[in-house]
Amino acid sequence: MLQGPDSRATSMPLKTLIVDDEPIARKVLREELELIENVKVIGEAADGAEALEKIGSEQPDLVLLDLQMPAMGGLDVVRQLKHGKHLPVIVIVTAYDQYALQAFEAGAIDYLLKPVGQERLSQAVERAKRVTGRQATERILQLQEIADRPAGL
């Protein structure tokens, strides 16, 4: 198990939801997350609608969120989170750096470009572990501002 400097060995595991429309991408993320100490993958979602349902029912601490998915993409999920009762920490996982960079600048905890390496994923998880509930809420609101902007801005 990999362990960062701020290990939560005596606390609850970081409940994590993986959201990606590609089954192989979800499988790879799950396998890499299972190597990180104090992380528990509580579910997977293949699209935005399923992600919102699982965020509401499972209340993850962390959501690894793909931006480009059919029907409802990651930015649509971010827009909808403001209507929910639970605001998890969001880490963007995408092959499209132009969208990820915008989200990161707007307050995403981190962004990961596919293919995601184990070390980089571990860094993102450690960063997510350090975020408080209030910081997560503030960052979600910043992400929503970016998500609500017209494309190309």
mmCIF file of all heavy atoms in Angstrom, residues 8-34:
data_model
loop_
_atom_site.group_PDB
_atom_site.id
_atom_site.type_symbol
_atom_site.label_atom_id
_atom_site.label_comp_id
_atom_site.label_asym_id
_atom_site.label_seq_id
_atom_site.Cartn_x
_atom_site.Cartn_y
_atom_site.Cartn_z
ATOM 1 N N ARG A 8 -4.076 8.881 6.648
ATOM 2 C CA ARG A 8 -5.222 8.856 7.548
ATOM 3 C C ARG A 8 -5.364 7.461 8.139
ATOM 4 O O ARG A 8 -6.462 6.924 8.214
ATOM 5 C CB ARG A 8 -6.483 9.243 6.779
ATOM 6 C CG ARG A 8 -6.443 10.647 6.277
ATOM 7 C CD ARG A 8 -7.587 11.018 5.351
ATOM 8 N NE ARG A 8 -8.649 10.051 5.253
ATOM 9 C CZ ARG A 8 -9.919 10.377 5.084
ATOM 10 N NH1 ARG A 8 -10.278 11.622 5.018
ATOM 11 N NH2 ARG A 8 -10.838 9.443 4.964
ATOM 12 N N ALA A 9 -4.252 6.891 8.587
ATOM 13 C CA ALA A 9 -4.243 5.504 9.053
ATOM 14 C C ALA A 9 -5.225 5.275 10.197
ATOM 15 O O ALA A 9 -5.742 4.188 10.350
ATOM 16 C CB ALA A 9 -2.834 5.106 9.483
ATOM 17 N N THR A 10 -5.464 6.293 11.002
ATOM 18 C CA THR A 10 -6.349 6.111 12.140
ATOM 19 C C THR A 10 -7.748 6.628 11.849
ATOM 20 O O THR A 10 -8.598 6.621 12.732
ATOM 21 C CB THR A 10 -5.789 6.843 13.373
ATOM 22 O OG1 THR A 10 -5.669 8.236 13.060
ATOM 23 C CG2 THR A 10 -4.447 6.279 13.770
ATOM 24 N N SER A 11 -8.008 7.079 10.633
ATOM 25 C CA SER A 11 -9.320 7.613 10.323
ATOM 26 C C SER A 11 -10.017 6.747 9.280
ATOM 27 O O SER A 11 -9.497 5.744 8.822
ATOM 28 C CB SER A 11 -9.192 9.053 9.838
ATOM 29 O OG SER A 11 -8.411 9.100 8.670
ATOM 30 N N MET A 12 -11.203 7.169 8.913
ATOM 31 C CA MET A 12 -12.012 6.426 7.957
ATOM 32 C C MET A 12 -11.398 6.492 6.564
ATOM 33 O O MET A 12 -10.790 7.488 6.201
ATOM 34 C CB MET A 12 -13.418 7.020 7.929
ATOM 35 C CG MET A 12 -14.140 6.976 9.259
ATOM 36 S SD MET A 12 -14.482 5.296 9.815
ATOM 37 C CE MET A 12 -15.720 4.844 8.627
ATOM 38 N N PRO A 13 -11.603 5.458 5.770
ATOM 39 C CA PRO A 13 -11.100 5.490 4.393
ATOM 40 C C PRO A 13 -11.827 6.546 3.571
ATOM 41 O O PRO A 13 -12.976 6.893 3.849
ATOM 42 C CB PRO A 13 -11.400 4.090 3.860
ATOM 43 C CG PRO A 13 -12.077 3.335 4.921
ATOM 44 C CD PRO A 13 -12.228 4.198 6.117
ATOM 45 N N LEU A 14 -11.151 7.044 2.571
ATOM 46 C CA LEU A 14 -11.701 8.032 1.654
ATOM 47 C C LEU A 14 -12.630 7.293 0.683
ATOM 48 O O LEU A 14 -12.178 6.520 -0.157
ATOM 49 C CB LEU A 14 -10.557 8.714 0.896
ATOM 50 C CG LEU A 14 -10.899 9.935 0.071
ATOM 51 C CD1 LEU A 14 -11.232 11.120 0.983
ATOM 52 C CD2 LEU A 14 -9.717 10.303 -0.822
ATOM 53 N N LYS A 15 -13.935 7.500 0.837
ATOM 54 C CA LYS A 15 -14.917 6.831 -0.022
ATOM 55 C C LYS A 15 -14.865 7.481 -1.407
ATOM 56 O O LYS A 15 -15.075 8.679 -1.539
ATOM 57 C CB LYS A 15 -16.320 6.945 0.566
ATOM 58 C CG LYS A 15 -16.467 6.277 1.909
ATOM 59 C CD LYS A 15 -17.901 6.293 2.408
ATOM 60 C CE LYS A 15 -18.445 7.699 2.486
ATOM 61 N NZ LYS A 15 -19.833 7.762 2.977
ATOM 62 N N THR A 16 -14.609 6.659 -2.428
ATOM 63 C CA THR A 16 -14.337 7.176 -3.759
ATOM 64 C C THR A 16 -15.274 6.574 -4.800
ATOM 65 O O THR A 16 -15.508 5.367 -4.816
ATOM 66 C CB THR A 16 -12.874 6.877 -4.142
ATOM 67 O OG1 THR A 16 -12.020 7.452 -3.140
ATOM 68 C CG2 THR A 16 -12.514 7.473 -5.490
ATOM 69 N N LEU A 17 -15.787 7.450 -5.674
ATOM 70 C CA LEU A 17 -16.633 7.051 -6.791
ATOM 71 C C LEU A 17 -15.877 7.341 -8.086
ATOM 72 O O LEU A 17 -15.327 8.438 -8.247
ATOM 73 C CB LEU A 17 -17.944 7.840 -6.771
ATOM 74 C CG LEU A 17 -18.914 7.609 -7.939
ATOM 75 C CD1 LEU A 17 -19.472 6.182 -7.896
ATOM 76 C CD2 LEU A 17 -20.048 8.627 -7.890
ATOM 77 N N ILE A 18 -15.855 6.379 -8.994
ATOM 78 C CA ILE A 18 -15.199 6.532 -10.293
ATOM 79 C C ILE A 18 -16.276 6.757 -11.345
ATOM 80 O O ILE A 18 -17.203 5.945 -11.469
ATOM 81 C CB ILE A 18 -14.385 5.275 -10.650
ATOM 82 C CG1 ILE A 18 -13.314 5.015 -9.587
ATOM 83 C CG2 ILE A 18 -13.767 5.410 -12.040
ATOM 84 C CD1 ILE A 18 -12.666 3.645 -9.698
ATOM 85 N N VAL A 19 -16.158 7.854 -12.108
ATOM 86 C CA VAL A 19 -17.141 8.167 -13.139
ATOM 87 C C VAL A 19 -16.426 8.298 -14.481
ATOM 88 O O VAL A 19 -15.632 9.224 -14.692
ATOM 89 C CB VAL A 19 -17.893 9.479 -12.821
ATOM 90 C CG1 VAL A 19 -18.954 9.744 -13.896
ATOM 91 C CG2 VAL A 19 -18.510 9.427 -11.438
ATOM 92 N N ASP A 20 -16.713 7.357 -15.381
ATOM 93 C CA ASP A 20 -16.115 7.370 -16.716
ATOM 94 C C ASP A 20 -16.969 6.485 -17.604
ATOM 95 O O ASP A 20 -17.423 5.427 -17.159
ATOM 96 C CB ASP A 20 -14.674 6.847 -16.665
ATOM 97 C CG ASP A 20 -13.862 7.248 -17.881
ATOM 98 O OD1 ASP A 20 -14.308 6.947 -19.013
ATOM 99 O OD2 ASP A 20 -12.793 7.848 -17.715
ATOM 100 N N ASP A 21 -17.176 6.901 -18.844
ATOM 101 C CA ASP A 21 -17.992 6.092 -19.746
ATOM 102 C C ASP A 21 -17.225 4.912 -20.335
ATOM 103 O O ASP A 21 -17.819 4.028 -20.934
ATOM 104 C CB ASP A 21 -18.586 6.951 -20.875
ATOM 105 C CG ASP A 21 -17.537 7.624 -21.730
ATOM 106 O OD1 ASP A 21 -16.514 8.085 -21.184
ATOM 107 O OD2 ASP A 21 -17.739 7.714 -22.954
ATOM 108 N N GLU A 22 -15.919 4.875 -20.148
ATOM 109 C CA GLU A 22 -15.105 3.795 -20.688
ATOM 110 C C GLU A 22 -14.840 2.740 -19.604
ATOM 111 O O GLU A 22 -14.156 3.018 -18.611
ATOM 112 C CB GLU A 22 -13.773 4.340 -21.194
ATOM 113 C CG GLU A 22 -13.912 5.363 -22.303
ATOM 114 C CD GLU A 22 -12.585 5.973 -22.692
ATOM 115 O OE1 GLU A 22 -11.540 5.328 -22.490
ATOM 116 O OE2 GLU A 22 -12.598 7.108 -23.187
ATOM 117 N N PRO A 23 -15.355 1.526 -19.790
ATOM 118 C CA PRO A 23 -15.157 0.473 -18.781
ATOM 119 C C PRO A 23 -13.688 0.194 -18.477
ATOM 120 O O PRO A 23 -13.331 -0.027 -17.311
ATOM 121 C CB PRO A 23 -15.831 -0.758 -19.398
ATOM 122 C CG PRO A 23 -16.795 -0.212 -20.399
ATOM 123 C CD PRO A 23 -16.203 1.066 -20.904
ATOM 124 N N ILE A 24 -12.844 0.224 -19.479
ATOM 125 C CA ILE A 24 -11.420 -0.046 -19.251
ATOM 126 C C ILE A 24 -10.802 1.051 -18.379
ATOM 127 O O ILE A 24 -10.005 0.768 -17.486
ATOM 128 C CB ILE A 24 -10.670 -0.204 -20.584
ATOM 129 C CG1 ILE A 24 -11.137 -1.489 -21.277
ATOM 130 C CG2 ILE A 24 -9.163 -0.218 -20.380
ATOM 131 C CD1 ILE A 24 -10.620 -1.675 -22.683
ATOM 132 N N ALA A 25 -11.190 2.305 -18.631
ATOM 133 C CA ALA A 25 -10.671 3.414 -17.820
ATOM 134 C C ALA A 25 -11.100 3.257 -16.361
ATOM 135 O O ALA A 25 -10.302 3.483 -15.443
ATOM 136 C CB ALA A 25 -11.155 4.753 -18.385
ATOM 137 N N ARG A 26 -12.356 2.863 -16.134
ATOM 138 C CA ARG A 26 -12.822 2.647 -14.757
ATOM 139 C C ARG A 26 -12.046 1.512 -14.105
ATOM 140 O O ARG A 26 -11.652 1.609 -12.940
ATOM 141 C CB ARG A 26 -14.324 2.335 -14.729
ATOM 142 C CG ARG A 26 -15.204 3.512 -15.101
ATOM 143 C CD ARG A 26 -16.666 3.283 -14.762
ATOM 144 N NE ARG A 26 -17.207 2.036 -15.244
ATOM 145 C CZ ARG A 26 -17.815 1.865 -16.422
ATOM 146 N NH1 ARG A 26 -17.939 2.878 -17.256
ATOM 147 N NH2 ARG A 26 -18.301 0.681 -16.748
ATOM 148 N N LYS A 27 -11.810 0.433 -14.842
ATOM 149 C CA LYS A 27 -11.087 -0.724 -14.311
ATOM 150 C C LYS A 27 -9.662 -0.337 -13.912
ATOM 151 O O LYS A 27 -9.189 -0.688 -12.822
ATOM 152 C CB LYS A 27 -11.063 -1.843 -15.350
ATOM 153 C CG LYS A 27 -10.344 -3.102 -14.903
ATOM 154 C CD LYS A 27 -10.382 -4.162 -16.005
ATOM 155 C CE LYS A 27 -9.798 -5.477 -15.580
ATOM 156 N NZ LYS A 27 -8.358 -5.445 -15.397
ATOM 157 N N VAL A 28 -8.981 0.410 -14.777
ATOM 158 C CA VAL A 28 -7.606 0.830 -14.487
ATOM 159 C C VAL A 28 -7.573 1.730 -13.261
ATOM 160 O O VAL A 28 -6.738 1.548 -12.360
ATOM 161 C CB VAL A 28 -6.974 1.528 -15.719
ATOM 162 C CG1 VAL A 28 -5.672 2.210 -15.353
ATOM 163 C CG2 VAL A 28 -6.764 0.525 -16.843
ATOM 164 N N LEU A 29 -8.486 2.697 -13.176
ATOM 165 C CA LEU A 29 -8.528 3.575 -12.005
ATOM 166 C C LEU A 29 -8.806 2.787 -10.737
ATOM 167 O O LEU A 29 -8.177 3.017 -9.701
ATOM 168 C CB LEU A 29 -9.581 4.673 -12.189
ATOM 169 C CG LEU A 29 -9.174 5.846 -13.063
ATOM 170 C CD1 LEU A 29 -10.365 6.767 -13.307
ATOM 171 C CD2 LEU A 29 -8.018 6.625 -12.437
ATOM 172 N N ARG A 30 -9.745 1.857 -10.805
ATOM 173 C CA ARG A 30 -10.069 1.039 -9.627
ATOM 174 C C ARG A 30 -8.837 0.260 -9.161
ATOM 175 O O ARG A 30 -8.506 0.240 -7.974
ATOM 176 C CB ARG A 30 -11.208 0.076 -9.936
ATOM 177 C CG ARG A 30 -11.540 -0.857 -8.767
ATOM 178 C CD ARG A 30 -12.664 -1.813 -9.096
ATOM 179 N NE ARG A 30 -13.970 -1.201 -9.021
ATOM 180 C CZ ARG A 30 -14.667 -1.083 -7.896
ATOM 181 N NH1 ARG A 30 -14.183 -1.510 -6.747
ATOM 182 N NH2 ARG A 30 -15.850 -0.530 -7.912
ATOM 183 N N GLU A 31 -8.148 -0.374 -10.092
ATOM 184 C CA GLU A 31 -6.962 -1.158 -9.737
ATOM 185 C C GLU A 31 -5.884 -0.281 -9.122
ATOM 186 O O GLU A 31 -5.231 -0.678 -8.154
ATOM 187 C CB GLU A 31 -6.428 -1.888 -10.967
ATOM 188 C CG GLU A 31 -7.320 -3.028 -11.417
ATOM 189 C CD GLU A 31 -6.919 -3.643 -12.749
ATOM 190 O OE1 GLU A 31 -6.007 -3.109 -13.422
ATOM 191 O OE2 GLU A 31 -7.532 -4.663 -13.125
ATOM 192 N N GLU A 32 -5.698 0.911 -9.653
ATOM 193 C CA GLU A 32 -4.687 1.811 -9.099
ATOM 194 C C GLU A 32 -5.104 2.352 -7.734
ATOM 195 O O GLU A 32 -4.280 2.479 -6.830
ATOM 196 C CB GLU A 32 -4.402 2.949 -10.080
ATOM 197 C CG GLU A 32 -3.673 2.464 -11.324
ATOM 198 C CD GLU A 32 -3.386 3.557 -12.336
ATOM 199 O OE1 GLU A 32 -3.896 4.682 -12.181
ATOM 200 O OE2 GLU A 32 -2.646 3.278 -13.291
ATOM 201 N N LEU A 33 -6.390 2.655 -7.576
ATOM 202 C CA LEU A 33 -6.876 3.150 -6.290
ATOM 203 C C LEU A 33 -6.756 2.090 -5.193
ATOM 204 O O LEU A 33 -6.518 2.418 -4.035
ATOM 205 C CB LEU A 33 -8.330 3.615 -6.406
ATOM 206 C CG LEU A 33 -8.534 4.946 -7.117
ATOM 207 C CD1 LEU A 33 -9.995 5.129 -7.468
ATOM 208 C CD2 LEU A 33 -8.017 6.106 -6.283
ATOM 209 N N GLU A 34 -6.925 0.830 -5.556
ATOM 210 C CA GLU A 34 -6.829 -0.250 -4.569
ATOM 211 C C GLU A 34 -5.427 -0.384 -3.986
ATOM 212 O O GLU A 34 -5.248 -0.994 -2.938
ATOM 213 C CB GLU A 34 -7.303 -1.565 -5.189
ATOM 214 C CG GLU A 34 -8.808 -1.587 -5.400
ATOM 215 C CD GLU A 34 -9.310 -2.790 -6.184
ATOM 216 O OE1 GLU A 34 -8.480 -3.554 -6.738
ATOM 217 O OE2 GLU A 34 -10.533 -2.961 -6.253
#
